[in-house]
Amino acid sequence: MQLRYRFRLYPTPGQQSVLARAFGCARVVFNDAMAARRDVYEAGGKTPTASELSKKLITDAKNTPERAWLGEVSAVVLQQALRDAQRAYENFFGSLSGKRKGRKVGAPRFETRRDRRQSVRFTANARWSITPGGKLRLPKVGEVPVRWSRTLPSKPSSVTVIKDAAGRYFASFVVDTNPESLVDEAPEIGVDLGLEHFAVLSDGMKIKSPRFLRRAERKLKRAQRDLSRKEMGSKNRDKARTKVARAHARVADARREFHHQLSTRLIRENQAIAVEDLAVSGLARTRLAKSVHDAGWSSFVAMLEYKAALYGRKLVKIGRFEPTSQVCSKCDVQDGPKPLHVRTWQCLACGVWLDRDINAAVNVAKAAGLAVTACGAQVRPEPVRAQREEAGTHRGDPMRTEDRAVGRGRNHRFSQR
């Protein structure tokens, strides 16, 4: 199983200029490959192969005055840019023909230096290495300091150097890992994802949504307002743009850290987990779009998926049309949809009071075939039938007379108001 390990890089100003040159060369080769394929397609010719593009756009281009500067960077970076262009077209045509599953992929577009993310990839052929001092040695770049937050489980097969919109540099290593199964006995739970509570478990636990974007909204608005007042193309505008990007990066980092901690905890503490396959793209077009994007359900479920495969756990997804909020988790009677403001409801069949979110989490687990109990679904005790001698009061009972007097006094006070 292949995983990515990302670490922060701190290149020197000279190394930053060399990396900027590498980003630009890779971008030029990528755009040249796109233009070459487009010209051949419009002319009705045969699509050029990867070797033909490599000879024309890299080997021959280096010998021309217009593209001689391509020789200033590692050739592996340019070859990987060609592979990226080829993969982009393969994904596009595979999506058109139906061979590629998932959402439709649009046609590849030309890259620009104003893109939010710039990257170059070094494979084993580039002879990059990690020095004994813990630095990353890259060809024609030098030894770049790395902040190691954890150790790599094995030798990486490739490394991608990334520069994000906030101006930060990262090294993303591709590492082969062996799944390590957790053999301890653990319960099985269902998870209901929401907005007020990010996750509600079938055992009754509720995890409140952090709402990172909402909490940082005032600071983001101020930074974006300052950006809109700067002159186009000025250095002050570039500084303001970086400030906005860093504010958004802090929000994204906090959300990602929350997802990682919660997903790891759920995987380690439970044998099997059931979640609902939500239509996030559809919910993101409603009036709750900002809150849906702030929650980040898709990335959280993706983390659960790969961590379950890594640790030998079971993750089950149920259909999004399963009526989890309409069915009583105790008697399995469906009594129709309910408005969103209804958070607790009483089953008309068995009379039990249910919490909407916990009841949905229990039904998610049941729909997935997991053995769970609805211990946390009931929020009020079920009414118990009284004994015959306790069923009511009798005539002449002093308690009954006193209750009537209290009732008359209460009604009299209300009438005076």
Side-chain angles (χ1 to χ4, degrees):
M1 182 177 182
Q2 287 188 338
L3 294 178
R4 283 192 174 273
Y5 285 71
R6 193 173 70 162
F7 303 93
R8 184 76 179 270
L9 292 180
Y10 292 92
T12 62
Q15 292 171 344
Q16 291 181 15
S17 62
V18 175
L19 287 174
R21 189 181 303 117
F23 294 146
C25 292
R27 181 172 61 250
V28 167
V29 172
F30 180 90
N31 291 339
D32 288 346
M34 296 269 297
R37 293 181 66 112
R38 182 196 59 187
D39 296 340
V40 171
Y41 174 77
E42 292 178 353
K46 185 179 179 181
T47 303
T49 62
S51 58
E52 293 175 351
L53 289 177
S54 177
K55 184 177 183 303
K56 177 183 177 182
L57 302 180
I58 298 178
T59 306
D60 296 342
K62 288 181 181 180
N63 299 324
T64 62
E66 296 81 8
R67 293 286 191 267
W69 36 264
L70 290 177
E72 299 178 2
V73 300
S74 174
V76 175
V77 170
L78 307 181
Q79 293 289 345
Q80 294 303 310
L82 285 180
R83 291 193 59 183
D84 291 342
Q86 182 179 0
R87 189 180 300 110
Y89 271 104
E90 289 176 355
N91 292 337
F92 172 60
F93 290 120
S95 180
L96 288 180
S97 61
K99 295 181 180 179
R100 189 180 188 276
K101 304 302 180 181
R103 297 181 60 184
K104 294 295 183 181
V105 177
R109 65 172 183 83
F110 291 97
E111 295 182 351
T112 68
R113 62 180 180 179
R114 295 180 179 85
D115 288 340
R116 295 180 299 173
R117 181 180 182 274
Q118 301 183 49
S119 64
V120 289
R121 186 166 57 253
F122 298 88
T123 58
N125 297 332
R127 297 181 181 179
W128 62 272
S129 62
I130 300 175
T131 65
K135 294 185 177 181
L136 179 62
R137 181 184 289 122
L138 299 174
K140 298 188 178 183
V141 178
E143 297 180 358
V144 185
V146 185
R147 176 176 292 179
W148 300 100
S149 56
R150 51 183 171 171
T151 59
L152 294 173
S154 61
K155 185 178 180 180
S157 59
S158 67
V159 59
T160 303
V161 179
I162 304 168
K163 181 184 178 183
D164 64 1
R168 303 177 301 176
Y169 292 84
F170 296 93
S172 178
F173 298 92
V174 176
V175 180
D176 291 326
T177 59
N178 296 323
E180 36 182 283
S181 299
L182 299 176
V183 295
D184 56 327
E185 293 294 332
E188 299 177 344
I189 62 166
V191 180
D192 179 65
L193 300 176
L195 296 178
E196 178 67 25
H197 293 90
F198 178 79
V200 179
L201 310 185
S202 57
D203 59 1
M205 180 181 295
K206 294 184 177 182
I207 301 169
K208 196 169 182 61
S209 180
R211 298 182 179 179
F212 296 104
L213 181 61
R214 295 290 187 180
R215 281 160 42 186
E217 203 165 15
R218 179 177 298 179
K219 185 180 295 185
L220 288 171
K221 285 182 179 179
R222 188 183 302 114
Q224 290 167 348
R225 183 169 60 247
D226 293 342
L227 174 63
S228 65
R229 293 171 177 173
K230 299 298 185 291
E231 185 180 354
M232 294 293 295
S234 64
K235 291 185 177 181
N236 286 335
R237 182 176 179 84
D238 189 57
K239 293 178 182 178
R241 183 204 58 79
T242 304
K243 187 176 180 180
V244 172
R246 288 178 178 173
H248 279 284
R250 282 192 291 268
V251 173
D253 292 344
R255 183 188 300 115
R256 189 183 304 110
E257 181 68 14
F258 169 74
H259 289 168
H260 271 297
Q261 292 183 0
L262 180 59
S263 59
T264 302
R265 172 182 154 198
L266 293 178
I267 289 296
R268 289 187 178 275
E269 296 179 355
N270 300 278
Q271 187 69 33
I273 301 175
V275 295
E276 191 175 1
D277 186 18
L278 298 174
V280 178
S281 59
L283 293 172
R285 292 193 294 267
T286 64
R287 60 184 178 87
L288 301 174
K290 184 180 290 187
S291 298
V292 170
H293 286 300
D294 191 13
W297 295 326
S298 296
S299 60
F300 175 72
V301 174
M303 290 180 185
L304 283 177
E305 194 169 1
Y306 89 79
K307 290 180 182 180
L310 181 62
Y311 294 108
R313 298 303 198 186
K314 182 181 180 183
L315 179 68
V316 184
K317 294 182 181 180
I318 69 169
R320 63 190 61 169
F321 299 107
E322 193 74 24
T324 57
S325 298
Q326 305 178 20
V327 178
C328 175
S329 59
K330 186 171 184 180
C331 63
D332 297 333
V333 173
Q334 180 176 352
D335 57 358
K338 303 164 188 62
L340 287 178
H341 69 272
V342 177
R343 309 316 301 173
T344 59
W345 55 284
Q346 185 180 22
C347 178
L348 300 179
C350 63
V352 66
W353 281 87
L354 301 167
D355 183 282
R356 181 191 184 105
D357 298 327
I358 301 178
N359 178 75
V362 175
N363 288 330
V364 167
K366 286 184 176 181
L370 303 184
V372 297
T373 59
C375 58
Q378 183 174 321
V379 296
R380 296 189 188 180
E382 185 177 1
V384 181
R385 187 178 182 85
Q387 299 297 325
R388 184 176 180 83
E389 60 272 11
E390 300 174 351
T393 56
H394 304 280
R395 293 184 180 275
D397 191 344
M399 293 297 297
R400 178 183 176 92
T401 306
E402 183 180 354
D403 290 343
R404 287 182 175 178
V406 172
R408 286 196 299 270
R410 183 183 301 113
N411 295 336
H412 177 67
R413 289 194 300 269
F414 288 164
S415 62
Q416 287 180 347
R417 293 179 185 175

